[in-house]
Structures are given as structure tokens and as C-alpha cells.
Amino acid sequence: SVSFGLQLPWRFSPYIVARGGIGALATNRFGEDLAYLARSLGAEAGLDCRVTRWFVVTPALGYAALAIDDAYWHTFTARLSVGF
């Protein structure tokens, strides 16, 4: 997968990350070996909030679209990270 992002270094630092990926999926289904091409494309946006010099809280929202042949999934994420 490949990620590309941008972040500005402030006390409240917004960021956005674009992600894309491609890969192979190998499986055995009903006794038959199968291989699929899996791909994904998505983005995540959040805000790094420096509470103190050594304590950061980061809320973020994300979206990704995943596909294998003609099957598609859409995922949404809400994340709260705490860092020291």
C-alpha cells in the first residue's frame, strides 16, 4: 500500500492522509484454489491536539473503499488516539 499525507506543526495540527493499496488474495473455496486481485482507496483526516509537551490526543475520521473482482465494501472509521 501507499500513503501520502500533509500535516502542519502547530499545537493543534490538522492532517489528512490518502491511502491506496493493491494485493493478491489466495484462498481455497469448496476444494478449489482461487486467487483474486484486491484493491483499496481511502482517506483519513484528524487533528493532533498537544495537551502538554509530552501528551497528545488525536481524534480522526476515515473512509476506505475495498474491492475484489465485482464485490465492493465501504468502511468508515472513527478513532481517538492518545499518545505520550
Side-chain angles (χ1 to χ4, degrees):
S1 68
V2 174
S3 298
F4 177 77
L6 174 67
Q7 184 174 21
L8 303 173
W10 298 320
R11 180 170 181 164
F12 297 100
S13 300
Y15 72 90
I16 187 164
V17 176
R19 292 189 175 119
I22 192 166
L25 173 65
T27 186
N28 183 299
R29 188 170 179 187
F30 304 116
E32 184 177 342
D33 291 329
L34 301 170
Y36 297 100
L37 178 66
R39 55 204 186 278
S40 68
L41 186 61
E44 179 180 286
L47 181 67
D48 279 344
C49 305
R50 289 193 181 276
V51 178
T52 67
R53 186 174 182 176
W54 301 106
F55 183 65
V56 179
V57 176
T58 305
L61 296 173
Y63 167 78
L66 309 157
I68 298 174
D69 285 342
D70 291 333
Y72 297 93
W73 296 269
H74 299 278
T75 65
F76 297 91
T77 59
R79 179 173 50 96
L80 181 63
S81 300
V82 176
F84 300 96

